[in-house]
Amino acid sequence: MSVQYVKGVGPKRAAKLKKLNIYTVEDLLYFAPREYDDRTNFKDIADCAHGEKVSLNVQISGYPSKLRPRGNLSILKIPVRDKSGYANLVWFNQNYIASKLSMGDKISVNGKVNIRGNEVQIINPVFEKGKGEKTGRIMPIYPLTERLTNNEMINIVTNAIKDYGHKLPEILPSYLREELNLMPIYESIINIHFPRDKDHYIEARRRLVFEELLTLQLGLFLIKNRTGEINQGISFPYVKEEDKLIDNLPFKLTGAQERVYREVKEDMEKNKQMNRLIQGDVGSGKTIIAILAMFKAWSSGYQSVMMAPTEILAVQHYESISKFFMDYDINCKLLVGSLPNKEKEQLLEDLRLGNIDVLVGTHAVIQENVEFNKLGLAITDEQHRFGVKQRAVLSQKGISPDILVMTATPIPRTLALILYGDLDISIIDELPPGRKEIETYAVGFSMVNRVSEFVKKQVLEGRQAYIVCPLVEESDKLNLKSAEELYISLKDKVYKDFNLGLLHGKMKSSEKDHIMEKFKNGKLDILISTTVIEVGVNVPNANIMVVYNAERFGLAQLHQLRGRVGRGEYQSYCILINGSNSKISRERMRILQKSTDGFYISEKDLELRGPGEFFGTRQHGIPDLKIANLFIDIDILKLAQQKAKEILEEDALLLDEKHFLLRQNIIHMFKDRIEDLIFN
Ligand code: ADP
Ligand code: MG
């Protein structure tokens, strides 16, 4: 039912509530406070300490006095007493309160203590005769929107609980609630808004968080179509050529690469399905692991596919993979959106017939009309750019193919549990030898000319540079450089004697490829770009990364950008132009200057920006959470994960009547993003 019909709401407030994502009565009931005002700290006047927030039971012991020290400031003082001593209640600019209280009234109050010499003051207290509604309780403080006060929210929520709270359905089946000792829903809702005491709050929150995480986890498992059981998979036996390929590589594998490949190889040789995530910082050499795995699949007569998030990256992978496989009879093909129709049809036909051994591409490879003959291995590169759903679709292109996902984004443990709960994790924690540390500088816009001079000098010595900025087109709202604007001004002025190229996400992919190709071949000296070059691009001759308005990027993202340079033999530089004076953004720049450790950087990013912004969990296909906090509720998350597995083992599609509401709840949480995939 629409929230509009809750007593005290109506159409106007309903519109405001929408901004808080509250549409229905249920949304309102589940709308958890941001924090609480604990008014249960009852004290005697004599025990009050300066600065603390207290509740007192007092009696009015004198007449009010009003002061007006300045024209716009009035002060009302009312003397009170209890058995331990005297105090003054003090209100600023609220003289009307005097008429509400009379000598001898017994009231309870709650406010902050201010001690001035011998005088105990309670500043701007809330008060009531007797006690119950306002004092002596733990009161909610809600995240608010414009012109909706906390008191209004409290009234609305109170009405909603009174009229509808007991009608809320119990989503969690009773066997589960009993087993885990979870509070009933009605009581949980009451206590999340108006906790009876701390223990009740903890129990209420535990129940609601569990409900939310169980729903989330069930949904994710259903999407992945895995219930924790290990699927039967393909066994790719060992062949001698693997070792030969490794021996013939143009470089020696690092220790970390060797270890990770061994883990992959063991998985592949077993007859269970491999589900492995490879985490490794930019430049740690993940691609070669993928290549070795694809070689192994090919040796057993299976096809492989590798999906990359951008066309540029897909092309690059395609080229380097083809090179490694040159000496073998391996047919490697590239599938991207821009492929002409005729060629595409031929390619799809060959793929279906099994004439293609290795397919590299963008999202195009998960299109419906893409059919493999015998898919044995599905690889996703830069996993963080894809959602859960896309990964699932890719693996459904074969019969339990082995799955390898690769990411350069270090993922905090909790999130990894959710995203990759069913994956084994390998970490490449060592860079190939001989890399020079990239020098990182953070400067303000006043230094822009010196930066340009430096870039020119390097280019004249034969190097190339990236210049990255946040936006594609001019923006009236934000005072930011757009790529186009910047390109035009730099090309005509600062760098007029150099070859500049422009690359951004709104260009056609054929144009992008063309520009990228020119940059790779050295026909362009400087590439002006948005973050499309962020992932994976490899041009060893480029040794300068300049980022305009670096404050607009996440630290992890800046770290990725920095990883575009330092890929060759030349000393490389990353110059961050910080357009903000704020302390926090200077702090963020400092972190990048100090460290080149991706895990450390993303941890710091998380600290400074908070989980929501950091991850954009949406991007991963995870719906917004209302109560649960992935960075705090690890234990409940683990429990939910375990229970989700058990439930699905018993009732794979949640068709049992006792799981009916749970199933509805999953659909509600994931909305259209899931329905088509899991429940038919
Ligand atoms: P990422 O992990 O960021 O995807 P890449 O796989 O693109 O890294 O590798 C980065 C560069 O390092 C590539 O040019 C690759 O050929 C090279 N490389 C990978 N492994 C080694 C190694 N063991 N020794 C030397 N160079 C390596
Ligand atoms: Mg890579």
Side-chain angles (χ1 to χ4, degrees):
M1 195 168 102
S2 164
V3 72
Q4 179 174 337
Y5 301 109
V6 171
K7 209 194 293 167
V9 179
K12 269 199 187 138
R13 278 193 182 144
K16 290 181 192 169
L17 288 169
K18 270 186 196 155
K19 294 198 179 143
L20 297 167
N21 270 326
I22 300 172
Y23 295 88
T24 63
V25 179
E26 209 173 352
D27 292 340
L28 182 63
L29 290 171
Y30 273 87
F31 186 71
R34 168 165 63 82
E35 55 185 325
Y36 297 86
D37 178 6
D38 185 351
R39 299 178 182 171
T40 59
N41 181 25
F42 273 93
K43 285 270 169 104
D44 288 339
I45 290 173
D47 298 332
C48 285
H50 182 73
E52 78 177 330
K53 202 154 180 298
V54 295
S55 287
L56 303 164
N57 288 316
V58 292
Q59 186 171 24
I60 298 194
S61 58
Y63 293 102
S65 61
K66 294 173 187 169
L67 292 170
R68 186 170 279 278
R70 288 199 303 275
N72 56 357
L73 176 67
S74 64
I75 301 176
L76 168 69
K77 266 192 192 185
I78 298 183
V80 295
R81 59 174 290 180
D82 67 7
K83 59 184 187 308
S84 76
Y86 293 87
N88 282 316
L89 308 182
V90 178
W91 284 275
F92 296 103
N93 290 337
Q94 296 178 72
N95 279 353
Y96 67 92
I97 286 173
S99 63
K100 299 194 168 187
L101 294 170
S102 334
M103 179 80 133
D105 280 353
K106 287 188 174 159
I107 59 173
S108 53
V109 302
N110 177 277
K112 204 167 162 183
V113 178
N114 183 35
I115 296 186
R116 301 185 70 175
N118 288 332
E119 185 187 355
V120 177
Q121 300 180 337
I122 311 295
I123 306 298
N124 284 334
V126 293
F127 64 93
E128 61 193 332
K129 300 191 178 163
K131 64 171 172 166
E133 286 293 306
K134 291 184 195 159
T135 59
R137 291 172 54 171
I138 301 173
M139 295 298 276
I141 300 174
Y142 293 98
L144 294 173
T145 165
E146 46 185 301
R147 298 217 199 113
L148 194 63
T149 67
N150 200 47
N151 280 336
E152 287 175 299
M153 268 312 275
I154 289 176
N155 286 335
I156 295 170
V157 171
T158 305
N159 292 339
I161 292 179
K162 204 161 75 200
D163 294 342
Y164 304 102
H166 57 284
K167 290 185 186 156
L168 265 184
E170 185 64 77
I171 287 164
L172 297 176
S174 56
Y175 74 88
L176 206 56
R177 269 190 299 124
E178 272 160 38
E179 183 196 331
L180 301 175
N181 221 337
L182 296 171
M183 197 184 258
I185 185 64
Y186 182 39
E187 214 185 322
S188 305
I189 291 293
I190 292 175
N191 278 286
I192 199 73
H193 292 286
F194 305 102
R196 183 169 346 142
D197 53 35
K198 202 161 175 197
D199 289 342
H200 277 78
Y201 162 72
I202 290 170
E203 284 307 312
R205 186 171 185 282
R206 186 169 79 96
R207 182 242 146 84
L208 294 169
V209 168
F210 178 80
E211 176 178 313
E212 188 167 43
L213 292 179
L214 181 72
T215 307
L216 175 70
Q217 196 63 76
L218 282 170
L220 290 170
F221 277 146
L222 284 164
I223 296 182
K224 293 174 186 168
N225 197 12
R226 266 203 294 275
T227 58
E229 297 167 60
I230 296 153
N231 286 331
Q232 276 290 314
I234 307 156
S235 166
F236 304 89
Y238 167 76
V239 290
K240 280 202 293 291
E241 276 75 17
E242 287 172 35
D243 297 335
K244 241 168 64 193
L245 183 66
I246 292 177
D247 288 339
N248 290 336
L249 290 178
F251 44 73
K252 190 176 170 319
L253 292 182
T254 62
Q257 282 171 322
E258 265 178 25
R259 171 171 42 79
V260 169
Y261 179 59
R262 203 179 324 121
E263 288 163 353
V264 169
K265 190 175 130 97
E266 278 166 17
D267 279 0
M268 288 183 76
E269 285 170 11
K270 284 183 200 145
N271 68 350
K272 64 160 201 157
Q273 187 178 31
M274 168 167 78
N275 278 292
R276 188 165 286 279
L277 169 74
I278 300 180
Q279 278 193 30
D281 214 341
V282 277
S284 61
K286 295 182 289 293
T287 317
I288 192 67
I289 307 291
I291 290 173
L292 294 173
M294 291 193 284
F295 184 82
K296 196 171 172 63
W298 170 77
S299 309
S300 300
Y302 281 91
Q303 295 174 301
S304 304
V305 59
M306 179 159 172
M307 177 164 72
T310 64
E311 196 154 331
I312 293 173
L313 199 55
V315 171
Q316 190 180 289
H317 276 318
Y318 168 71
E319 285 169 356
S320 63
I321 291 168
S322 307
K323 215 161 64 194
F324 278 102
F325 289 158
M326 222 155 46
D327 299 336
Y328 298 87
D329 183 24
I330 299 177
N331 188 10
C332 187
K333 280 280 181 302
L334 176 70
L335 176 58
V336 290
S338 62
L339 198 68
N341 264 338
K342 234 172 109 195
E343 281 176 53
K344 190 188 265 168
E345 269 161 37
Q346 183 62 48
L347 184 149
L348 292 178
E349 175 77 5
D350 284 341
L351 194 66
R352 210 166 18 243
L353 294 173
N355 299 334
I356 294 174
D357 305 305
V358 169
L359 183 69
V360 181
T362 54
H363 296 82
V365 303
I366 52 174
Q367 234 85 107
E368 215 168 303
N369 56 359
V370 178
E371 284 172 45
F372 291 81
N373 185 275
K374 204 179 170 193
L375 180 64
L377 175 66
I379 301 174
T380 313
D381 189 27
E382 303 300 347
Q383 162 65 29
H384 65 288
R385 288 294 194 94
F386 295 103
V388 184
K389 188 166 165 175
Q390 288 160 320
R391 185 150 61 93
V393 174
L394 184 63
S395 72
Q396 280 159 11
K397 294 278 177 192
I399 302 160
S400 314
D402 276 3
I403 292 165
L404 199 58
V405 300
M406 308 197 292
T407 179
T409 307
I411 294 159
R413 269 177 38 74
T414 16
L415 207 59
L417 252 175
I418 283 216
L419 290 172
Y420 313 120
D422 53 341
L423 294 188
D424 302 311
I425 299 183
S426 292
I427 298 177
I428 307 185
D429 50 6
E430 180 185 354
L431 293 183
R435 294 269 164 82
K436 290 212 177 85
E437 187 122 320
I438 300 162
E439 288 179 22
T440 302
Y441 302 95
V443 300
F445 270 99
S446 59
M447 299 276 278
V448 140
N449 289 336
R450 283 180 62 183
V451 172
S452 308
E453 288 309 311
F454 181 71
V455 170
K456 283 190 214 168
K457 195 164 144 261
Q458 290 287 323
V459 171
L460 287 173
E461 286 175 21
R463 304 288 80 74
Q464 289 165 285
Y466 298 100
I467 297 180
V468 172
C469 61
L471 295 175
V472 183
E473 283 157 3
E474 215 166 328
S475 150
D476 335 315
K477 284 201 199 106
L478 304 161
N479 185 20
L480 298 172
K481 292 275 176 224
S482 80
E484 267 168 4
E485 204 188 355
L486 191 65
Y487 172 70
I488 290 164
S489 77
L490 294 181
K491 186 171 66 115
D492 293 344
K493 293 181 197 135
V494 188
Y495 300 113
K496 61 179 184 314
D497 303 324
F498 297 86
N499 294 317
L500 266 60
L502 172 65
L503 191 70
H504 62 69
K506 289 197 177 160
M507 286 161 67
K508 276 204 235 132
S509 45
S510 57
E511 289 175 81
K512 277 194 265 182
D513 287 350
H514 180 65
I515 297 286
M516 207 54 223
E517 204 54 42
K518 279 170 77 175
F519 189 65
K520 265 190 173 173
N521 297 337
K523 293 198 179 106
L524 295 174
D525 303 313
I526 300 169
L527 187 64
I528 318 286
S529 166
T530 55
T531 53
V532 287
I533 58 148
E534 176 196 342
V535 274
V537 170
N538 195 18
V539 181
N541 188 51
N543 74 330
I544 305 180
M545 168 63 64
V546 180
V547 185
Y548 277 67
N549 291 104
E551 79 280 2
R552 301 280 301 180
F553 297 88
L555 290 188
Q557 206 177 10
L558 289 171
H559 179 63
Q560 291 264 350
L561 284 170
R562 178 167 60 183
R564 295 311 104 218
V565 296
R567 305 195 139 232
E569 58 200 278
Y570 311 103
Q571 174 60 52
S572 294
Y573 306 90
C574 173
I575 303 170
L576 306 169
I577 305 181
N578 179 5
S580 156
N581 268 326
S582 83
K583 214 173 130 195
I584 207 164
S585 78
R586 266 178 291 150
E587 172 62 24
R588 296 173 71 232
M589 298 303 130
R590 263 235 331 270
I591 290 165
L592 279 161
Q593 280 179 273
K594 249 187 5 209
S595 173
T596 53
D597 175 350
F599 275 90
Y600 172 80
I601 287 169
S602 69
E603 233 167 63
K604 284 288 168 193
D605 206 8
L606 187 61
E607 253 175 53
L608 291 172
R609 293 206 298 173
E613 257 196 87
F614 173 75
F615 259 113
T617 42
R618 281 232 158 132
Q619 184 175 289
H620 293 278
I622 292 192
D624 294 332
L625 297 173
K626 291 196 177 117
I627 297 184
N629 179 328
L630 293 176
F631 298 86
I632 295 172
D633 298 315
I634 306 179
D635 290 340
I636 305 181
L637 175 62
K638 282 188 191 153
L639 184 66
Q641 197 158 43
Q642 183 200 331
K643 290 298 155 198
K645 279 180 190 170
E646 287 172 21
I647 291 171
L648 293 177
E649 265 161 36
E650 184 208 316
D651 181 12
L653 285 174
L654 302 180
L655 294 173
D656 194 310
E657 173 132 14
K658 65 181 184 252
H659 296 141
F660 177 75
L661 287 174
L662 211 43
R663 189 178 198 265
Q664 295 295 105
N665 209 39
I666 295 167
I667 294 173
H668 180 68
M669 180 185 267
F670 284 78
K671 309 232 164 60
D672 49 330
R673 277 180 284 172
I674 188 179
E675 221 164 338
D676 50 330
L677 241 172
I678 53 171
F679 290 130
N680 56 33

